[in-house]
């Protein structure tokens, strides 16, 4: 399984998301040097070197090898393999990148509020990404499970009835399997309208 690069600091996100560095990260899916990238993008090599140093300091690219070329050393870099995951709290307009945005979301108790769903999802992204990174470092497998489904409601009020029945079904299942000395798992269930381009035609 490919490792996850998890970004939770605003400076790291800025390093990854500026337009020229996004393009460089895309190009660096294949190993390359500053000289090769400068020629490909039509940019001065010094400018490319600057962007590469920022990306390397943020842990987004890694050194593959060094080659000696006519009195200087050519560094071959590549983007770190695997998924690039950004902590949603960093991207929150209400947060300052240190988790305040997530805390504000999770204080909302209305189970039908979109903001509450975003907050819960942000916590899940944070927890799983951190644990997956640690599992990768130790060579272990992180055991998770995912359930996905699509349901078509005839009327808006059906959402509430469906939620009540699903909640009761989950409560019964949890009561059946929950043990006092077992390994705790966190279960998150959420629903949102499917974007038009993802809707399935019967």
């Amino acid at each position: 399984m490919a490792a996850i690069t998890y970004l939770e600091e605003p400076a790291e996100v800025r390093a990854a998301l500026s337009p020229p560095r996004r393009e460089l990260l895309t190009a660096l899916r294949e190993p390359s040097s500053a000289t090769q990238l400068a020629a490909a993008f039509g940019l001065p090599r010094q400018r490319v070197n600057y962007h590469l140093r920022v990306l390397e300091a943020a842990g987004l690219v890694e050194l593959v090898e060094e080659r000696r070329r006519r009195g200087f050393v050519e560094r071959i870099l590549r983007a770190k393999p695997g998924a690039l995951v950004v902590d949603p709290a960093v991207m929150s307009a209400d947060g300052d990148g240190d988790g305040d945005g997530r805390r504000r979301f999770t204080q909302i108790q209305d189970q039908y509020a979109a903001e509450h769903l975003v907050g819960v999802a942000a916590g899940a992204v944070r927890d799983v990404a951190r644990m997956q990174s640690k599992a990768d470092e130790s060579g272990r497998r992180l055991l998770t499970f995912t359930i996905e489904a699509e349901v078509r409601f005839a009327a808006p009020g059906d959402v509430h009835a469906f939620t009540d029945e699903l909640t009761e079904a989950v409560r019964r299942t949890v009561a059946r399997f929950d043990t006092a000395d077992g390994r705790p798992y966190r279960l998150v269930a959420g629903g949102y309208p499917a974007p038009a381009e993802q809707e399935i035609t019967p």
Side-chain angles (χ1 to χ4, degrees):
M1 179 182 294
I4 285 177
T5 300
Y6 180 63
L7 305 181
E8 59 180 332
E9 296 296 331
E12 294 175 334
V13 176
R14 285 195 296 270
L17 297 185
S18 70
R21 292 170 196 158
R22 286 203 307 270
E23 294 177 359
L24 289 174
L25 281 174
T26 299
L28 284 171
R29 291 173 183 169
E30 297 294 331
S32 189
S33 68
T35 300
Q36 293 169 326
L37 292 169
F41 288 97
L43 296 172
R45 186 166 60 88
Q46 293 81 357
R47 183 179 300 177
V48 173
N49 263 324
Y50 168 74
H51 289 310
L52 292 178
R53 285 195 297 269
V54 174
L55 291 171
E56 192 172 7
L60 300 176
V61 301
E62 59 187 4
L63 180 66
V64 176
E65 63 174 310
E66 293 181 334
R67 301 172 181 170
R68 296 199 172 275
R69 302 280 189 184
R70 299 178 182 178
F72 72 96
V73 176
E74 184 180 43
R75 304 177 77 243
I76 307 299
L77 301 167
R78 70 177 175 189
K80 283 194 173 180
L84 181 65
V85 177
V86 178
D87 186 332
V90 177
M91 307 303 292
S92 169
D94 294 328
D96 56 9
D98 63 357
D100 287 344
R102 181 179 69 89
R103 283 192 291 272
R104 274 191 281 272
F105 280 137
T106 54
Q107 287 170 356
I108 301 174
Q109 298 303 313
D110 182 359
Q111 64 179 334
Y112 297 104
E115 292 85 357
H116 185 58
L117 175 57
V118 170
V120 173
V125 168
R126 176 183 295 104
D127 292 342
V128 174
R130 285 176 175 170
M131 289 187 292
Q132 181 65 64
S133 295
K134 291 180 180 179
D136 289 335
E137 292 173 0
S138 62
R140 298 179 180 178
R141 180 170 177 250
L142 178 65
L143 181 61
T144 67
F145 61 90
T146 303
I147 302 171
E148 295 186 58
E150 181 168 293
V151 57
R152 296 174 176 85
F153 297 108
D158 291 347
V159 175
H160 298 269
F162 175 85
T163 303
D164 291 341
E165 290 192 25
L166 181 60
T167 300
E168 179 58 23
V170 170
R171 186 195 64 77
R172 291 196 305 267
T173 305
V174 168
R176 177 183 172 190
F177 288 93
D178 184 54
T179 55
D181 58 349
R183 168 68 189 273
Y185 266 64
R186 181 171 297 158
L187 174 66
V188 175
Y192 57 92
E197 64 272 16
Q198 294 182 11
E199 291 181 354
I200 300 174
T201 302

